Amino acid sequence: MLRSVLRRSSTASASSLLRRGYSSESHPERKVAVLGAAGGIGQPLALLMKLNPLVSNLALYDIAGTPGVATDVSHVNTRSEVAGYVGEEQLGQALEGSDVVIIPAGVPRKPGMTRDDLFNINAGIVKSLCTAIAKYCPNALVNMISNPVNSTVPIAAEVFKKAGTYDEKKLFGVTTLDVVRAKTFFAGKAKVSVADVNIPVVGGHAGITILPLFSQATPKANFSDEDIQALTKRTQDGGTEVVEAKAGKGSATLSMAYAGAIFADACLKGLNGVPDVIECSFVQSSITELSFFASK
């Protein structure tokens, strides 16, 4: 029954990702580490990565609670071996040999909290985690989810530069949730299948820096300027919409975990040599005068 439920997921990417979780195809050995795996994003993200057949070894790390999450997830009958690591003394073990490191660690947004407020707390967390990545798995692809992404990605870059391990092609700010939201909202308004929708989202990952390019959306839709403005604003305010709907008791954890799993899947495909894997991401860029910019 679970298999059929998962296969009826509303988008092609979700359907593909989760359905392949039960695939018996052979794939290269790939280790994925999730840092912050016991949190609101980390737990569903750990489950989604366990469902991905491209993952052979799943390392779950957090400062507390990880053994329980790891044991729970390990009972899912898919390919990957799961191990839980807790506390700073086990961080190196969690990272060693990792091909992809996903970082949802940090505190979530709370009511009235700006992304600048998040910076003071999450910057320190990201700095310490990236210092460990530079030491234990310097060649890994790093997927940064911790907010504010517009700031945590440049921080990570500086940590890697200081350690002499920086590779601009291996550090990604995960802006996939903006794309996921843009696709969902566009499909609802246009009354088309969301599985057929593709929309690039460029810029950054906070408020008005999020720029969904509805003019480049496929399939085309005959929207007024007012419709486009409304869709753009809703995409930009998606995080606030969730925080308010949860009455201040949570933020976008489930949709973010889904988006993180989609982007990590794209990274694993790229590592495995799959051609033409295209996702939007916040990366070091020369497209504009900004040092970092989200683009395809």
Side-chain angles (χ1 to χ4, degrees):
M1 179 179 176
L2 175 60
R3 190 179 306 186
S4 66
V5 169
L6 292 174
R7 283 180 173 164
R8 290 199 300 272
S9 180
S10 61
T11 74
S13 51
S15 176
S16 170
L17 174 64
L18 297 179
R19 183 167 59 245
R20 287 198 315 273
Y22 300 89
S23 164
S24 59
E25 296 172 32
S26 65
H27 298 288
E29 297 286 305
R30 295 294 181 196
K31 178 177 177 180
V32 173
V34 180
L35 308 185
I41 296 170
Q43 290 196 45
L45 178 58
L47 173 60
L48 290 169
M49 296 318 296
K50 181 71 172 90
L51 291 172
N52 191 316
L54 303 182
V55 181
S56 59
N57 187 334
L58 183 60
L60 305 180
Y61 170 83
D62 214 319
I63 55 172
T66 343
V69 175
T71 300
D72 194 357
V73 171
S74 73
H75 292 178
V76 175
N77 61 321
T78 55
R79 174 193 182 199
S80 55
E81 296 291 323
V82 181
Y85 302 91
V86 63
E88 287 183 31
E89 65 280 359
Q90 294 186 3
L91 179 55
Q93 290 174 264
L95 290 172
E96 215 156 25
S98 293
D99 296 288
V100 177
V101 179
I102 314 172
I103 310 180
V107 299
R109 280 175 71 194
K110 295 181 175 64
M113 183 184 279
T114 67
R115 290 179 188 267
D116 288 339
D117 296 330
L118 288 178
F119 175 81
N120 294 322
I121 301 170
N122 289 350
I125 295 171
V126 166
K127 181 182 177 183
S128 63
L129 293 176
C130 288
T131 299
I133 290 169
K135 181 177 179 180
Y136 294 103
C137 55
N139 295 316
L141 301 187
V142 177
N143 294 1
M144 185 68 67
I145 291 174
S146 303
N147 273 319
V149 165
N150 291 5
S151 301
T152 55
V153 170
I155 287 170
E158 291 304 315
V159 172
F160 295 146
K161 285 176 187 175
K162 186 176 180 181
T165 65
Y166 182 54
D167 183 342
E168 64 186 68
K169 298 188 184 306
K170 292 184 176 180
L171 174 60
F172 306 93
V174 181
T175 59
T176 314
L177 182 52
D178 301 328
V179 178
V180 166
R181 285 171 172 153
K183 288 180 178 181
T184 301
F185 303 156
F186 178 92
K189 183 69 177 176
K191 294 184 169 45
V192 296
S193 170
V194 72
D196 300 327
V197 173
N198 196 16
I199 300 166
V201 180
V202 303
H205 185 57
I208 59 171
T209 69
I210 300 168
L211 302 171
L213 304 182
F214 290 111
S215 60
Q216 295 184 25
T218 54
K220 295 290 184 186
N222 189 23
F223 288 156
S224 67
D225 289 346
E226 289 76 17
D227 289 334
I228 296 292
Q229 287 172 7
L231 285 170
T232 299
K233 184 162 177 25
R234 191 179 177 200
T235 302
Q236 292 172 340
D237 294 343
T240 301
E241 182 178 316
V242 174
V243 170
E244 290 177 350
K246 291 186 175 182
K249 293 183 171 64
S251 57
T253 53
L254 301 175
S255 53
M256 183 62 247
Y258 166 78
I262 291 293
F263 190 80
D265 181 63
C267 287
L268 289 165
K269 285 177 182 171
L271 287 173
N272 290 350
V274 176
D276 303 322
V277 179
I278 299 173
E279 293 288 341
C280 291
S281 179
F282 188 70
V283 293
Q284 183 171 315
S285 175
S286 57
I287 292 176
T288 71
E289 66 272 17
L290 298 170
S291 300
F292 292 85
F293 195 79
S295 61
K296 290 197 282 189

